[in-house]
Amino acid sequence: MPGVVPSDPLAWVAIALFAGGALFERANRRAARYVMVSAWISFALFWLNLFPHFAFEHKSYIEGILSLAAVPLCLYAGLLLYRGRDTLFVLSRAVAVMGIVYLPFETIPAITVGATTIPSPREVLVELVAAQTGYLINLLGYHPTPIVGSEGYDNTFRFVHTDGHTLVFSVVLACTGIGSMAIFAGLIAAVRAPLGRKLRALAIAIPIIYALNLLRTTFIGIVFGKQYMQWFVDEVLLLFGSSDPYMVSFFLSDRVISQLLAVVALIGITYLVVRELPELLTVIEDVLFMLTREEYDLHSALDVPQTGSRGQMRPDGGHVGVESGAEAERGGDDGD
């Protein structure tokens, strides 16, 4: 949704702390640890504050559940980092980069609004995705009327339903895929690996995310505009707390089907990226540990070779004269 939500200041506080901890990390790991523990606590408060926005205003149960689940996970991450699980420095650095990439598109006026005659980066991105979505909708034989949206962007399509009712579908920032791109940008930037492999990993993730996102916006636009999913109308309206029967197709196509498929797509993209950048498995192992409290060796499970801290690999998965990235993180000195 456009505009500032109450959690934006909390988001900036958390990201500033994560970034500060990353800057301290090499010079003084003890100080970095305390700063990043504070960051995880702030991040937990951010997700707790965001839960009502997703669950009640945005009416997205999947995002609402995930935001609520993120609260104890963030607190647990802070506790584990405080107790010495230094691999979590990688995830902490990743969150810092994610926020630095994404938050400006939501909160900084120079990026969200722009000048009188010069469109803002946010406007350019939204209108680009809207134009390409409109092209795909037309290509499939549907021809809604393009109109100017509530933000003044050329990002909205008007469908006239068979009963004469007008339906309006807008492409907003959340429809551009920038959030998912920021996630992978943060993860890839956070690991210690050669720049070439990082760039190749980005070259895998970003185009796939962008293409899948265009398919998603096209699917939602057509299904909502043509009311193709008017299924279980009363039940869906009750579930999403709405009284508008024309929103049923939108709720099912966007809030249910698209969001579930997005989770599957992110898992698939992660697998492809990990094949290029095995260092990311350290982050995934940490997340799985927080969820299950069991240690995992994903390098062996996925038959991915171990890498050294400088990206060196042997065919048998061993190391060439250096510690592995995970070992280096776990064995870090807490001294000054």
Side-chain angles (χ1 to χ4, degrees):
M1 291 180 66
V4 176
V5 296
S7 56
D8 286 343
L10 273 173
W12 275 115
V13 168
I15 296 306
L17 288 170
F18 279 121
L23 293 175
F24 274 122
E25 189 180 347
R26 287 186 180 274
N28 189 328
R29 181 160 282 206
R30 178 178 290 126
R33 185 186 310 281
Y34 294 140
V35 171
M36 285 186 170
V37 168
S38 300
W40 282 110
I41 295 172
S42 300
F43 208 35
L45 293 174
F46 160 74
W47 288 113
L48 181 62
N49 196 50
L50 199 59
F51 166 70
H53 170 75
F54 279 139
F56 305 122
E57 295 179 36
H58 204 49
K59 298 187 185 301
S60 172
Y61 287 103
I62 293 175
E63 290 175 312
I65 291 170
L66 290 176
S67 62
L68 195 60
V71 176
L73 286 175
C74 288
L75 294 175
Y76 191 38
L79 178 63
L80 290 174
L81 184 58
Y82 177 78
R83 289 178 173 176
R85 191 177 179 93
D86 285 4
T87 48
L88 282 168
F89 277 112
V90 183
L91 181 57
S92 302
R93 294 195 298 265
V95 175
V97 177
M98 292 175 200
I100 291 169
V101 171
Y102 180 77
L103 280 180
F105 285 92
E106 281 280 12
T107 61
I108 297 179
I111 293 178
T112 61
V113 179
T116 304
T117 57
I118 302 175
S120 67
R122 173 174 172 154
E123 181 179 353
V124 171
L125 179 60
V126 169
E127 289 191 346
L128 176 63
V129 173
Q132 293 171 334
T133 298
Y135 173 79
L136 291 175
I137 290 175
N138 292 337
L139 191 65
L140 292 172
Y142 302 92
H143 301 281
T145 303
I147 61 175
V148 176
S150 59
E151 290 185 278
Y153 299 170
D154 294 322
N155 66 330
T156 302
F157 304 94
R158 183 173 60 210
F159 291 83
V160 179
H161 197 236
T162 52
D163 63 2
H165 189 83
T166 298
L167 300 172
V168 175
F169 169 71
S170 296
V171 173
V172 296
L173 183 66
C175 302
T176 63
I178 187 66
S180 298
M181 294 180 196
I183 291 173
F184 280 94
L187 291 171
I188 291 168
V191 299
R192 288 172 179 148
L195 179 60
R197 286 201 287 115
K198 287 188 175 188
L199 292 176
R200 289 196 295 272
L202 275 175
I204 291 170
I206 301 303
I208 295 176
I209 291 171
Y210 193 85
L212 290 178
N213 188 69
L214 284 178
L215 294 178
R216 181 179 72 91
T217 55
T218 302
F219 166 70
I220 295 170
I222 292 174
V223 169
F224 169 62
K226 303 303 291 184
Q227 296 285 279
Y228 283 150
M229 289 188 177
Q230 293 300 102
W231 307 331
F232 307 106
V233 173
D234 292 337
E235 292 81 1
V236 172
L237 290 177
L238 177 63
L239 181 63
F240 287 93
S242 176
S243 59
D244 185 354
Y246 291 99
M247 289 297 293
V248 170
S249 288
F250 176 78
F251 289 141
L252 290 177
S253 61
D254 179 45
R255 300 293 191 258
V256 179
I257 296 174
S258 292
Q259 290 186 5
L260 288 173
L261 289 178
V263 173
V264 176
L266 287 176
I267 292 172
I269 295 168
T270 300
Y271 177 77
L272 294 176
V273 170
V274 161
R275 302 300 299 185
E276 185 62 48
L277 204 63
E279 290 85 350
L280 282 178
L281 288 178
T282 298
V283 177
I284 300 172
E285 288 169 350
D286 277 337
V287 172
L288 289 174
F289 177 81
M290 287 189 290
L291 291 172
T292 66
R293 298 193 180 185
E294 293 184 12
E295 297 286 1
Y296 293 84
D297 182 4
L298 295 181
H299 290 85
S300 299
L302 298 177
D303 192 26
V304 174
Q306 294 276 359
T307 61
S309 60
R310 296 177 186 173
Q312 297 162 301
M313 289 185 284
R314 286 209 320 244
D316 62 358
H319 311 305
V320 184
V322 292
E323 294 175 292
S324 72
E327 294 290 340
E329 293 287 352
R330 287 194 177 99
D333 185 6
D334 258 358
D336 296 341

